[in-house]
Amino acid sequence: MIIKLVENRLVIHMTLSPTKLIWMNGKLVPWMKANTHVLTHTLHYGMGVFEGIRCYKTVSGPAVFRLKDHMLRMKKSADYAGMKLPYSVERLVKATKDTVKANRIEECYIRPIAYYGYGVMGLNPEGSEVDVAIAAWPWGTYLGEEGLKHGIRAKISKWTRIHESIMPPQAKVVANYANSILAKVDALKHGYDEAILLNMAGNIAEGPGENVFIVKDGKLLTPPISSGVLMGITRDSIIKIAKDEGISFEDKDISKKELYSADEAFFTGTAAEVTPIREVDGKKIGEGKRGPITEKLQSKFFSIIKGTEPRYKQWLDYVK
């Protein structure tokens, strides 16, 4: 991670920290030799699927958070894209743990990706081999440690979240994230930490790589799947935790006005984890800091990923 002062604000650059090995098509290969051809089909047309996963250092050793759920989602994304994965979910789970173990790292970000490889050009990928790779490397908090404590500043994006009639928003398809990149870069350019995209109905959808939650009068709210959001694994975890903690919850359409007038707001995601939003479009959210319900859910989430909450032990897949 590199943090730079740009125009009197801190900008986080999530740089790569190379590890030793990457799992590629069934074999562990040296990091710098995990290469593909410049005419790889997905490089040109964007039809690939991927996941973002984290491995945490727990009290019982390194464990991957909800690993099987991530790989099931990756398979579902491939199904949406009409791509047949050459490996089963079980094989991908094992390959992930093998990769973490081989690199001897206790805490890391994990990136599995399946893509159409070299050999076919043109919009039809038929006949192209599906390549699969899994990389793991140390990666800090996506929106910064200060963001976790004090919250970040977000901007309603000029870009609209993709609609299901355009691309499948439920799939983590490589091409979908051009939409996210445009929103993220625009937010940074205007001095904000992150963007929030509206859907075509003008309601809150999600961040470029995060789901959005708000709190109003003690009730936790998040946009429904029908609003065009990704079925986030962390989103699902927070909903379950909230219900277990007796926090009232509803998934419903949320207007921009409702976001502005929220008592609390936060992002969730594998990279962002649970990050408070203290301001949107220059308007203070609640008290302009991490709110009590956000802090409660965040604290519980971090206890779970550290392995100190037996109730949620099924969410941790230990690397042995």
Side-chain angles (χ1 to χ4, degrees), residues 219-288:
K219 190 172 190 177
L220 184 66
L221 305 167
T222 195
I225 299 304
S226 59
S227 66
V229 304
L230 183 74
M231 287 188 281
I233 305 293
T234 311
R235 173 188 185 274
D236 179 69
S237 303
I238 289 298
I239 291 170
K240 284 184 168 68
I241 294 166
K243 289 177 178 178
D244 289 344
E245 293 296 308
I247 298 168
S248 178
F249 166 77
E250 183 183 359
D251 57 342
K252 66 178 286 291
D253 290 324
I254 298 170
S255 69
K256 188 165 60 170
K257 184 179 178 181
E258 286 175 299
L259 172 61
Y260 289 153
S261 63
D263 300 321
E264 304 176 40
F266 60 91
F267 282 124
T268 64
T270 295
E273 298 171 312
V274 181
T275 299
I277 302 168
R278 71 173 190 268
E279 182 185 304
V280 178
D281 289 344
K283 298 174 176 64
K284 189 167 69 171
I285 301 299
E287 297 295 318

Side-chain angles (χ1 to χ4, degrees), residues 21-174:
L21 299 165
I22 291 176
W23 188 93
M24 196 169 188
N25 294 328
K27 298 178 181 177
L28 287 163
V29 300
W31 178 283
M32 294 307 293
K33 292 187 177 179
N35 300 320
T36 190
H37 198 280
V38 70
L39 294 180
T40 293
H41 192 277
T42 295
L43 177 63
H44 293 261
Y45 301 110
M47 189 53 79
V49 299
F50 70 98
E51 275 297 319
I53 312 172
R54 278 194 190 267
C55 177
Y56 290 99
K57 182 180 179 181
T58 78
V59 292
S60 302
V64 184
F65 184 68
R66 299 191 65 173
L67 175 54
K68 188 172 182 181
D69 291 328
H70 277 285
M71 289 308 185
L72 284 168
R73 187 174 66 179
M74 184 164 165
K75 183 184 183 305
K76 210 171 274 187
S77 293
D79 291 343
Y80 271 115
M83 172 186 279
K84 184 170 175 54
L85 293 180
Y87 302 98
S88 67
V89 166
E90 291 71 23
R91 181 72 180 94
L92 293 172
V93 165
K94 183 180 184 303
T96 300
K97 292 195 283 188
D98 288 345
T99 304
V100 174
K101 193 187 303 182
N103 284 297
R104 297 181 181 179
I105 41 181
E106 292 187 304
E107 208 158 54
C108 60
Y109 184 84
I110 302 162
R111 171 51 53 85
I113 184 167
Y115 57 97
Y116 290 113
Y118 170 81
V120 171
M121 194 52 69
L123 292 176
N124 182 7
E126 188 176 347
S128 183
E129 293 290 325
V130 175
D131 292 326
V132 181
I134 302 171
W137 66 92
W139 213 29
T141 302
Y142 181 60
L143 293 168
E145 291 293 335
E146 284 299 303
L148 285 178
K149 294 176 187 174
H150 305 297
I152 57 97
R153 300 173 63 249
K155 171 187 184 293
I156 299 294
S157 182
K158 67 177 182 179
W159 300 100
T160 302
R161 169 71 173 162
I162 52 172
H163 187 265
E164 62 183 357
S165 65
I166 300 168
M167 290 285 283
Q170 293 310 316
K172 283 185 75 72
V173 173
V174 173

Side-chain angles (χ1 to χ4, degrees), residues 172-228:
K172 283 185 75 72
V173 173
V174 173
N176 286 2
Y177 285 78
N179 183 227
S180 298
I181 291 169
L182 289 169
K184 175 75 176 185
V185 171
D186 181 63
L188 292 174
K189 190 189 299 181
H190 285 87
Y192 292 88
D193 304 302
E194 190 57 294
I196 294 174
L197 294 96
L198 305 181
N199 59 24
M200 290 180 72
N203 292 318
I204 302 301
E206 61 179 30
E210 311 93 357
N211 292 111
V212 177
F213 285 81
I214 69 168
V215 176
K216 186 66 178 178
D217 298 327
K219 190 172 190 177
L220 184 66
L221 305 167
T222 195
I225 299 304
S226 59
S227 66

